[in-house]
Amino acid sequence: TTDVGLEVDAGLLYNPWTNKLTVSGDASIGDDLFLASDAAVLNFGADSDVSLTHVADTALLLNSSRQLQFGDSGTYIHQSADGVLDLVSDTEIEINATTIDINGAIDASSTITAAGRVIVDDATDASSTTDGSLQTDGGLSVAKDVVAGNDVKLLSDAAVLNFGADSDVSVTHVADTGLLLNSTRQLQFGDSGTYSHQSADGVLDLVSDTEIE
């Protein structure tokens, strides 16, 4: 067939052979627009490089890796690879809801900051440094009290437990032997007047301000 048809108005052409309506300029629709066939396609661009396709009873399908942009080209949604949906913004992505339910693993490549509590409901026990409900490959910094409901394990030989703002008192694990209190520091009982300590090399003092029984 050819594009021979009935010109209804300037820039508007209907071809009865192909059942196509061609509009060379802007089109203004005064009310609803229906694409009444399943799998109907809405094309955009001089070469139809972007399209929206109706998926029956399911969705609208944006073709290939084309983007749905918001505001400018720096903020958009698209499929970057098969099965991979990207939400991209050049500054921030903000999600506001009473509850945000994520089903699946979370892979964060930068800092995670929470203004509220972080609660882990998983009850897996820890038996090493790579299991348990909460696991980190680096150090753990805690500004306030630590409450442990069960055992605390320092699993490395020569592990050190430090006390004080400048770690002036420490207890060091001596493999297969014991625990070493540093320098001439004291192990006190009840108050500062009753204690044991090493007063000199090879000299252990047991001190009490009243009686040693």
Side-chain angles (χ1 to χ4, degrees):
T1 60
T2 63
D3 285 330
V4 177
L6 175 64
E7 184 174 331
V8 179
D9 200 351
L12 178 65
L13 185 68
Y14 172 67
N15 188 335
W17 305 107
T18 60
N19 202 28
K20 288 182 179 179
L21 182 67
T22 302
V23 181
S24 60
D26 294 344
S28 296
I29 310 298
D31 209 332
D32 302 333
L33 177 64
F34 292 89
L35 304 183
S37 65
D38 283 347
V41 180
L42 193 58
N43 290 302
F44 300 84
D47 57 353
S48 299
D49 56 294
V50 177
S51 66
L52 276 177
T53 301
H54 166 254
V55 181
D57 304 316
T58 304
L60 291 174
L61 176 63
L62 189 62
N63 64 313
S64 184
S65 58
R66 299 299 186 261
Q67 306 169 357
L68 184 59
Q69 299 183 349
F70 302 87
D72 57 38
S73 61
T75 306
Y76 57 89
I77 299 173
H78 78 137
Q79 184 192 54
S80 58
D82 185 29
V84 181
L85 178 66
D86 285 11
L87 281 72
V88 181
S89 178
D90 45 9
T91 303
E92 179 181 347
I93 294 175
E94 184 172 325
I95 302 174
N96 291 305
T98 302
T99 300
I100 298 171
D101 188 356
I102 301 175
N103 297 308
I106 300 174
D107 184 1
S109 59
S110 188
T111 303
I112 298 175
T113 301
R117 296 168 63 201
V118 177
I119 301 172
V120 180
D121 288 331
D122 182 81
T124 303
D125 253 334
S127 59
S128 72
T129 58
T130 57
D131 59 10
S133 299
L134 187 63
Q135 186 259 322
T136 173
D137 290 335
L140 181 65
S141 300
V142 181
K144 294 198 173 182
D145 295 347
V146 174
V147 178
N150 210 338
D151 303 335
V152 176
K153 300 179 182 181
L154 305 181
L155 293 180
S156 63
D157 283 346
V160 181
L161 193 59
N162 291 300
F163 300 85
D166 58 351
S167 299
D168 57 295
V169 177
S170 67
V171 175
T172 302
H173 167 254
V174 181
D176 305 316
T177 303
L179 293 173
L180 175 63
L181 190 62
N182 65 313
S183 185
T184 58
R185 298 299 185 259
Q186 306 170 356
L187 185 59
Q188 298 182 350
F189 302 88
D191 58 37
S192 61
T194 306
Y195 58 89
S196 65
H197 78 135
Q198 185 191 52
S199 59
D201 185 28
V203 180
L204 177 65
D205 287 9
L206 299 172
V207 181
S208 177
D209 47 7
T210 302
E211 179 183 350
I212 294 177
E213 183 176 320

